[in-house]
Amino acid sequence: MVNYIWVVMILIGLGFAMVNGTMAEVNEAVFSGAKEAITLSIGLISILVFWLGMMRIAEDSGLLSKLSTLFKPLISKLFPEVPSNHPAMGYILSNMIANMFGLGNAATPLGIKAMEELKELNGGKNEASRSMITFLAINTASITLIPTTVIAIRMNYDSANPTDIVGPTLVATAVSAVAAILIDRFFYYRRSKKG
Amino acid sequence: MEIVSAISLWFIPVMIAFILIYGTYKKVPTYESFVEGGKEGIKMAVSIMPFLVGMMVAIAVFRASGALDVMVGWIRPSLEMVGIPAEIVPLALIRPISGTAALGITSDLIGVHGPDSFIGTLAATLQGSTDTTFYVLTVYFGAVGIKKMGDALKVGLLADAVAIITAIIVVTFMF
């Protein structure tokens, strides 16, 4: 499906530019888009190296598996296919905690690492397993306690109380996270019915 | 609120200290472990590159051509009919596709309507309560080489839709 979405998005854009006379903008977009992507990945290197280094210490010292035992009851319900003492659990948990505190930068490396572990659990196949889809659903709904970026923008524009946004965000994020899990379950049962 | 911002400020330093102290206590060769783990980070960042370039060029072309604006224009009337404010429609549609574009729109809405206005609060809540589904999909699946996504995209986008609707309801009630 990604293949189609990708091609359709580019072709519609190109077709539109021909009719609309926005060719110059599109030409620029090709290069600026590519450049932005590389800048982003390079920007990620520093954070990836630091957090994966830190997390390796946490893994080697057994901290990660301690953490997963602590939250086992909750997480094993969400990820029934992951053995409770598997390192994947620890990474999933640390990713969720980092997200909750609005630390997107710390969350990304942990999320990727969790995916890697989940892939291994799935026999290294290149298709998404049930647990991977659940993990993605939780991540895109992003359970946030402190939306740091948004608070910063509100400060910039002289909000009377920048952190007021925490309340509504918390409610919205909690509801959408529950919804994401339910939607994920629904699709899983539909898949398993089809066999 | 003071406590909340204090926690976010202290969270990372405390976590680093805790990991280092615990590792030393368990006699882990901390520095060597750190370096080993860090090496993986470089590999990861490099392996994400082609995925990000592909996706971001497609999104940039789609946006620059004006196609995105036209699509937003088409969908807008039906969204307005169910009570979604017109000003917020572009943000709601772009949020799952491009994080930076959404951030731009959010700042713009907050700037124009004021941070404590209904639209400003709604934009901020929307920005904070969902994540860029396409980015998460590209980066997470890209880095570990997942080619068949299954229902992941559908689940992610549906969850986004629910998040947007929830944000509108919550902010309407709180205002």
Side-chain angles (χ1 to χ4, degrees):
Chain A
M1 191 158 65
V2 215
N3 294 318
Y4 289 117
I5 293 175
W6 189 63
V7 170
V8 165
M9 220 157 37
I10 296 178
L11 288 186
I12 289 180
L14 295 180
F16 210 87
M18 288 172 197
V19 184
N20 230 20
T22 43
M23 256 330 169
E25 284 89 338
V26 165
N27 262 317
E28 210 205 303
V30 171
F31 296 106
S32 65
K35 201 172 155 192
E36 202 187 326
I38 295 299
T39 316
L40 195 68
S41 333
I42 289 179
L44 273 175
I45 293 181
S46 53
I47 304 147
L48 279 168
V49 169
F50 182 74
W51 278 110
L52 289 179
M54 274 294 153
M55 290 315 286
R56 177 62 68 89
I57 301 175
E59 195 184 343
D60 289 351
S61 62
L63 195 60
L64 221 50
S65 53
K66 266 241 168 73
L67 191 72
S68 42
T69 344
L70 204 63
F71 288 88
K72 198 162 65 182
L74 174 75
I75 302 292
S76 57
K77 281 220 171 61
L78 282 176
F79 299 93
E81 285 172 353
V82 182
S84 54
N85 282 326
H86 197 272
M89 281 293 191
Y91 283 114
I92 290 174
L93 261 172
S94 348
N95 166 271
M96 284 167 82
I97 293 169
N99 262 330
M100 281 183 197
F101 286 91
L103 311 170
N105 286 340
T108 307
L110 301 172
I112 295 174
K113 194 69 200 169
M115 272 302 173
E116 213 173 78
E117 299 284 349
L118 290 178
K119 187 186 180 187
E120 216 162 278
L121 267 178
N122 198 30
K125 281 181 272 185
N126 69 353
E127 53 192 285
S129 69
R130 178 193 175 183
S131 315
M132 287 176 180
I133 297 176
T134 308
F135 182 57
L136 260 176
I138 294 173
N139 249 287
T140 58
S142 91
I143 310 163
T144 320
L145 293 182
I146 306 157
T148 24
T149 326
V150 173
I151 294 175
I153 298 176
R154 281 168 60 82
M155 277 178 183
N156 265 346
Y157 286 103
D158 300 318
S159 165
N161 203 342
T163 46
D164 267 0
I165 203 69
V166 172
T169 307
L170 205 59
V171 179
T173 197
V175 174
S176 67
V178 171
I181 292 165
L182 290 178
I183 292 167
D184 171 56
R185 281 287 143 107
F186 169 75
F187 274 100
Y188 169 71
Y189 286 119
R190 215 183 58 162
R191 272 200 307 276
S192 50
K193 246 188 209 158
K194 266 192 219 157
Chain B
M1 280 311 95
E2 295 274 302
I3 299 169
V4 174
S5 32
I7 290 176
S8 59
L9 190 67
W10 280 70
F11 188 76
I12 290 183
V14 168
M15 202 163 119
I16 294 172
F18 189 72
I19 290 174
L20 291 180
I21 293 169
Y22 193 83
T24 311
Y25 168 69
K26 288 279 170 187
K27 301 202 169 51
V28 171
T30 43
Y31 184 63
E32 284 151 40
S33 283
F34 175 85
V35 170
E36 275 313 305
K39 278 182 194 161
E40 261 180 71
I42 299 172
K43 252 191 287 168
M44 245 175 220
V46 173
S47 67
I48 305 171
M49 281 181 185
F51 294 94
L52 271 181
V53 169
M55 214 29 105
M56 288 180 81
V57 166
I59 291 166
V61 166
F62 194 69
R63 192 151 60 116
S65 69
L68 185 63
D69 290 335
V70 171
M71 206 177 81
V72 169
W74 282 342
I75 305 173
R76 187 192 287 238
S78 46
L79 286 181
E80 275 177 46
M81 242 164 27
V82 291
I84 298 176
E87 294 88 341
I88 215 81
V89 170
L91 176 63
L93 292 176
I94 288 165
R95 188 70 188 93
I97 302 172
S98 165
T100 41
L103 197 62
I105 298 174
T106 301
S107 327
D108 184 61
L109 283 174
I110 291 177
V112 171
H113 297 272
D116 301 312
S117 65
F118 174 71
I119 297 291
T121 312
L122 183 54
T125 309
L126 254 183
Q127 178 74 31
S129 64
T130 71
D131 212 329
T132 317
T133 300
F134 271 86
Y135 174 79
V136 176
L137 263 177
T138 327
V139 170
Y140 284 19
F141 278 176
V144 301
I146 297 294
K147 300 220 168 61
K148 291 179 189 142
M149 294 196 181
D151 290 328
L153 185 65
K154 264 184 277 175
V155 173
L157 289 180
L158 272 173
D160 284 337
V162 175
I164 291 163
I165 294 165
T166 318
I168 293 170
I169 295 171
V170 169
V171 175
T172 311
F173 266 98
M174 286 193 167
F175 235 74

